[in-house]
Amino acid sequence: MNETLSCREAFTSTLLDLAKKDPSIIVLTSDAKGSSSLGPFAQELSEQFLEIGIAEQNEVGVAAGLACVGRRPFICAPASFLSARSLEQVKVDVAYSHNNVKLFGVSGGISYGPLGATHHSLHDIAVMRAFPDLEIFIPSDPVQTQALAKYLAASGAPAYVRVGKAALPALYDSEEAAFSPGKANMLRDGRDLTLIACGEPIFQCMKAAEGLERGGISVRVLDMHTLKPLDESAILSAAKETGLIITAEEHSIYGGLGAAVAQVTAASCPVTVKSLGIPDEYAVSGTTAQVFHYYGLDAEGICRTAKTCLQNQKSKEETL
């Protein structure tokens, strides 16, 4: 593997290899061949590739029909449109009907940052989590994404996957270590607090943990690549063993990873859960780095939040 590779490239290149061996795999896109890195797939397997055009609702309906006759359809489309324009079809034709359709949302979160709120997908996890029988994944590196693609090609369950645009360094040495569905990966262990993230913010959490460690703060980092089913045992272990939890996500603070973690801890092991994400506003426009910095989702902002939370926690303990 290259030193850095985007998750979309890792996914579609793996899918091409799988589709060469399995003619039931069909890829559909909505005028997003370039955005989804599907050029090689369309060229080499034209009979297994469908260009639907800018018609996401139809795209999901066609994919559901293909699933009904034994095909394994993968929809590759911008996450912002796939999770909004075609929501009714995802709800009824895919999740409710339990059709084996894989929804691959590219350029998720604020990957289309300069294009503004119309192209940001900061609602998708909240709404997709509410649909029963729909698995949800946000991989954090290309190795994990390759393993996820192989899992999805063999799985009979509908699923939603969201990835960004950036080329990312590999966090994992092997696919076996990178991905097991529904099981979070502990990238670092620590005793003072836990950082839980998914997707690109994982890298910022790792940088933040290293910086905090140099200051004498021991940090656990969990890669929660699977949002549904959620690894509740890893969350509860973190709550019991480290207390404070900080989540970081490229999503609204409502209904995403932070809300899911808080729901789990509130029910079984109440601890402070601080959610870092996009507040109740349309996100500012800018590059990913600029938007992350603005909302405190970069390593600097995560460190600052961690120190503030730990200080507040210490102050409360001293007043008791």
Side-chain angles (χ1 to χ4, degrees), residues 172-210:
Y172 299 98
D173 295 327
S174 69
E175 293 182 12
E176 292 74 21
F179 178 77
S180 179
K183 296 295 182 183
N185 295 331
M186 186 188 299
L187 297 177
R188 292 176 63 105
D189 199 2
R191 62 182 182 278
D192 296 325
L193 68 101
T194 297
L195 299 176
I196 303 180
C198 53
E200 293 184 27
I202 277 289
F203 293 91
Q204 302 302 322
C205 286
M206 290 294 287
K207 291 180 183 177
E210 292 169 2

Side-chain angles (χ1 to χ4, degrees), residues 110 116-118 120 122-123 278-285 291 294-295:
I110 45 85
T118 57
H120 298 165
L122 302 172
H123 61 280
I278 309 302
D280 190 23
E281 65 185 50
Y282 293 108
V284 299
S285 299
V291 177
Y294 184 88
Y295 291 110

Side-chain angles (χ1 to χ4, degrees), residues 205-280:
C205 286
M206 290 294 287
K207 291 180 183 177
E210 292 169 2
L212 291 167
E213 192 81 38
R214 289 193 292 269
I217 300 173
S218 177
V219 182
R220 179 178 300 186
V221 178
L222 293 181
D223 178 3
M224 195 65 66
H225 51 73
T226 304
L227 277 294
K228 194 173 184 182
L230 193 67
D231 190 348
E232 296 188 6
S233 62
I235 295 170
L236 292 176
S237 293
K240 294 172 183 176
E241 295 165 12
T242 73
L244 173 64
I245 293 176
I246 298 173
T247 64
E249 59 188 314
E250 200 174 345
H251 188 273
S252 166
I253 59 172
Y254 297 110
L257 173 63
V261 170
Q263 185 176 24
V264 171
T265 58
S268 301
C269 184
V271 296
T272 297
V273 176
K274 174 65 177 177
S275 298
L276 292 177
I278 309 302
D280 190 23

Side-chain angles (χ1 to χ4, degrees), residues 19-33:
K20 288 177 180 178
K21 303 173 185 176
D22 183 356
S24 70
I25 293 177
I26 308 294
V27 169
L28 304 87
T29 191
S30 47
D31 194 31
K33 183 172 69 174

